[in-house]
Amino acid sequence: MPSVAPKKRPKDAATRADQMNRGILLYSILLALQYGAQPLISKRFTRREVIVTSSVLTCEIVKVVCALAIMVKEGSLKKTFSEWTVAGALTASGLPAIIYALQNSLLQISYKNLDSLTFSMLNQTKILFTAVCTYFLLRQKQSIQQIGALFLLIVAAVLLSIGEGSSKGSSDGSPDQILFHGIIPVLVASVLSGLASALCQWSSQVKKHSSYLMTVEMSVVGSLFLFASTYKSPDGEAIRQHGFFYGWTILTMIPVIFNALGGILVGLVTSRAGGVRKGFVIVSALLVTALLQFIFEGKPPSMYCIVALPLVVSSISIYQKYPYRVKKKEL
């Protein structure tokens, strides 16, 4: 006698797919809002006196707490850590964690010295460096359209660098301050981000780590590295002289928490939706930054930003739409 179960399976599968799509859409919207608002929130609620290392370390601690709490709620914490080893964690997450810790420190410096929209657009050059690093580490090739998209991104970055470096623009610092404490740090951070992303991709293919476990491992290793660096760094001297929370107010925790949640959302979107949806998030975040900057700061985008913005949006859209495809050999 035929069973009626198969008739229900397609409907059940469709329901699960719809629920997953709604979840991905929610994560994408939240990440776009976080990514777009982060530069403005950091500038508004983080005083210049705040020591960068203290802000980054606190963010990593919050990130670990949030990731562990989610794993407890899902019931995966015990099983995950029963299979965990120190050697495996260091192999999968050690080097990317150190790189990301340096990147976050550089980004904290850039937040304070660049226009919010300019920062967000320059930060997109990390896609270019990710493509380069994944090619050398994973032999991941690019299509002709993707190469063209990366060229558009370089043009946009050059426009922004020239525009912000030759005048004060919408920032309050001198041209030298904008260049050496704004543009250069964010570009170096983009290089580090590309290298770390390629290493994480390699680790996920070999180790099959969950996004939450990777978040915890990288945060712990990165925090230990930063903490060790305080023995010789200027930030370490400032912490010993003024205290860890020098310049902090209760509002300083707002950008810290936002940044930590954003790190978790990146892992969720990437693991569940892939690069196409992440590209949508990045494009949306640029528009969110421009809109919020105009609403809250009353500053319309500069001419350089107006010219560069469509280049950035077009390059990211093209890059995601035309992936490299292996040509089939003709028999």
Side-chain angles (χ1 to χ4, degrees), residues 116-323:
S116 299
L117 181 57
T118 302
F119 169 84
S120 293
M121 295 170 70
L122 279 176
N123 197 30
Q124 303 316 308
T125 57
K126 63 188 177 184
I127 296 179
L128 165 65
F129 298 115
T130 299
V132 173
C133 292
T134 52
Y135 173 76
F136 284 107
L137 291 178
L138 303 171
R139 294 301 175 186
Q140 183 175 318
K141 298 181 180 180
Q142 312 297 321
S143 66
I144 296 298
Q145 293 90 339
Q146 286 180 323
I147 294 174
L150 295 175
F151 176 76
L152 289 179
L153 198 61
I154 294 173
V155 173
V158 170
L159 281 174
L160 290 168
S161 299
I162 294 174
E164 292 298 315
S166 61
S167 64
K168 292 185 179 181
S170 57
S171 299
D172 297 327
S174 64
D176 286 345
Q177 181 180 356
I178 293 171
L179 177 62
F180 291 106
H181 297 279
I183 293 173
I184 291 179
V186 73
L187 289 178
V188 174
S190 294
V191 175
L192 295 176
S193 176
L195 178 58
S197 295
L199 290 172
C200 286
Q201 184 174 341
W202 175 83
S203 297
S204 65
Q205 291 174 355
V206 175
K207 295 296 180 178
K208 305 297 182 182
H209 276 19
S210 71
S211 61
Y212 298 125
L213 179 59
M214 184 77 79
T215 296
V216 172
E217 290 176 346
M218 292 179 61
S219 295
V220 171
V221 174
S223 297
L224 291 175
F225 172 78
L226 276 179
F227 182 76
S229 71
T230 59
Y231 284 99
K232 291 292 184 180
S233 67
D235 276 8
E237 181 63 29
I239 290 174
R240 288 187 290 271
Q241 183 177 354
H242 302 290
F244 186 84
F245 292 106
Y246 177 71
W248 281 60
T249 66
I250 190 64
L251 297 178
T252 309
M253 284 301 299
I254 295 177
V256 169
I257 294 173
F258 261 68
N259 201 11
L261 294 176
I264 295 175
L265 287 170
V266 167
L268 289 171
V269 172
T270 304
S271 62
R272 301 192 181 191
V276 174
R277 187 59 62 89
K278 188 178 178 182
F280 158 77
V281 172
I282 292 174
V283 173
S284 301
L286 289 172
L287 302 178
V288 170
T289 300
L291 179 62
L292 293 179
Q293 180 176 283
F294 179 71
I295 293 174
F296 292 104
E297 297 182 0
K299 299 176 182 177
S302 67
M303 183 57 64
Y304 290 98
C305 286
I306 292 174
V307 174
L309 180 57
L311 292 178
V312 174
V313 173
S314 299
S315 66
I316 296 174
S317 299
I318 293 171
Y319 187 87
Q320 299 294 338
K321 188 175 181 180
Y322 299 100

Side-chain angles (χ1 to χ4, degrees), residues 19-33:
Q19 291 175 347
M20 182 174 293
N21 288 334
R22 285 196 293 268
I24 292 173
L25 179 60
L26 176 61
Y27 294 142
S28 299
I29 293 173
L30 291 176
L31 181 57
L33 293 174

Side-chain angles (χ1 to χ4, degrees), residues 43 52 103-116 119 171 178 180-189:
K43 287 182 65 177
V52 171
Q103 175 205 349
N104 287 334
S105 296
L106 291 170
L107 291 179
Q108 291 293 328
I109 296 172
S110 294
Y111 278 145
K112 301 177 182 179
N113 294 283
L114 280 182
D115 171 86
S116 299
F119 169 84
S171 299
I178 293 171
F180 291 106
H181 297 279
I183 293 173
I184 291 179
V186 73
L187 289 178
V188 174

